[in-house]
Amino acid sequence: MEVAFFAGGCFWGIEAAFQQIPGIKSTRVGYMGGHTNEPTYQDVCSDTTGHAETVAIEFDETIVSYQSLLKHFFSMHNPTEIDRQGPDIGSQYRSVVFYTTNEQKEQAEKFIADINLSDRYNVPVATEVIPASTFWPAEDYHQSYFMKIGQRYGRSLF
């Protein structure tokens, strides 16, 4: 199994979208990229810890490639927004690819360069590509949140 980490706004939606992709074995939401140990959701929402709401993804590369994950990730959010996604504002909602290997770094940088050359957006992609650091899992009630809410109301949100 391979591991990937992506941040692109509220982690609930990003996690739910990744959970629909064949080859994804598990997901977990949490916080990465900050300077505070064991941050809580309230800490991260204060926009003072430096963490981004992040999804950790364990995937089977024989079924889904990292390149495919990048393609999905960049279609899930607006990678040109800085420190926000839609109505969610703050550095915790920034777009980040946290890489675990040099190969992931190179693939992410090339993917972003290709998007920028394509003129897909009027402005450059703002997504950061930085080394993965300590992943702090979010509180249990955040894990698979959209699945829980859908089950609570007896329907699927997708």
Side-chain angles (χ1 to χ4, degrees), residues 6-8 18 69-77 95-97:
F6 297 100
F18 273 117
L69 295 182
L70 288 169
K71 181 179 177 184
H72 285 286
F73 173 66
F74 281 96
S75 70
M76 293 175 190
H77 74 299
S95 178
V96 185
V97 173

Side-chain angles (χ1 to χ4, degrees), residues 36 40-50 89-93:
T36 302
T40 65
Y41 183 69
Q42 286 69 30
D43 295 335
V44 173
C45 285
S46 73
D47 199 14
T48 60
T49 69
I89 299 172
S91 65
Q92 69 270 29
Y93 301 115

Side-chain angles (χ1 to χ4, degrees), residues 97-117:
V97 173
F98 292 103
Y99 62 87
T100 61
T101 66
N102 284 334
E103 183 179 351
Q104 284 184 358
K105 177 185 179 185
E106 290 166 8
Q107 286 185 49
E109 289 174 342
K110 182 175 182 339
F111 198 93
I112 290 169
D114 289 347
I115 291 173
N116 285 333
L117 288 173

Side-chain angles (χ1 to χ4, degrees), residues 3-16 18 26-34 39 41 44 49-57 73 76 91-100 128 130-139 142-144:
V3 178
F5 297 95
F6 297 100
C10 177
F11 48 31
W12 295 340
I14 298 292
E15 179 187 38
F18 273 117
S26 69
T27 61
R28 189 152 176 95
V29 297
Y31 318 109
M32 188 178 274
Y41 183 69
V44 173
T49 69
H51 291 89
E53 291 193 14
T54 303
V55 180
I57 299 161
F73 173 66
M76 293 175 190
S91 65
Q92 69 270 29
Y93 301 115
R94 69 190 182 274
S95 178
V96 185
V97 173
F98 292 103
Y99 62 87
T100 61
E128 300 172 70
I130 56 178
S133 55
T134 303
F135 177 78
W136 302 99
E139 297 78 357
H142 289 293
Q143 306 302 326
S144 298

